[in-house]
Amino acid sequence: MKKQLLSNNIYLKVTKNQFWARHIEYQKEAIETALEPFTTNRLLIGEFNTAEKHLSAVIKKVHKGKWFSTSPVIVVHPMEMVDGGLSQIEERVFKELAAGAGARKVVLWLGHELSDHEVISLISKANNV
């Protein structure tokens, strides 16, 4: 029980001009759609400052009403514009965005959509590395 109270794991899916976040322990979801686009023709995150503002907003939505919580571990899942994988620059953009939103640890995932159980498993593996 204590471990669950201190757990703060978020699954973040990134699509063109949109963030979808799910807080695993609180079972709370939120979507933030950018009115001012952060996706460009070539990059899912092409406008960093705009993306940062919208990511912070969606993270606050899934934390709303929580008076105490540790910094989250965020699993970032880019859902589009990832053909051939991500460059080092793109990986760094996603990690820095999540860190700027308060993440204490960032795990980047490319592949199928994850269940809550798979998110926890991925985080556990990343913690053991």
Side-chain angles (χ1 to χ4, degrees), residues 71-74 95 97-106:
S71 295
V73 174
I74 300 178
K95 289 178 179 180
L97 266 177
R104 70 179 144 90
K105 182 168 188 131
V106 181

Side-chain angles (χ1 to χ4, degrees), residues 30-99:
I31 295 174
E32 180 76 11
T33 303
L35 297 176
E36 180 184 346
F38 57 77
T39 300
T40 63
N41 289 335
R42 295 185 302 142
L43 298 168
L44 189 56
I45 305 293
E47 298 295 333
F48 190 88
N49 292 337
T50 303
E52 190 173 42
K53 177 178 71 172
H54 290 290
L55 178 55
S56 292
V58 77
I59 297 298
K60 284 179 186 173
K61 287 178 184 178
V62 296
H63 272 158
K64 191 174 183 179
K66 307 304 175 214
W67 61 273
F68 174 78
S69 63
T70 59
S71 295
V73 174
I74 300 178
V75 174
V76 179
H77 186 180
M79 305 287 291
E80 301 178 85
M81 302 176 76
V82 294
D83 295 338
L86 297 175
S87 68
Q88 288 179 344
I89 299 296
E90 291 169 309
E91 287 180 12
R92 188 168 179 182
V93 164
F94 287 112
K95 289 178 179 180
E96 287 193 21
L97 266 177

Side-chain angles (χ1 to χ4, degrees), residues 2 16 20 24 26 34 40 48 71 76 84 93 95 99 103 108-109 121-122:
K2 184 177 179 182
K16 292 178 182 176
W20 175 91
I24 304 302
Y26 301 144
T40 63
F48 190 88
S71 295
V76 179
V93 164
K95 289 178 179 180
L108 198 54
W109 171 256
S121 178
L122 188 61

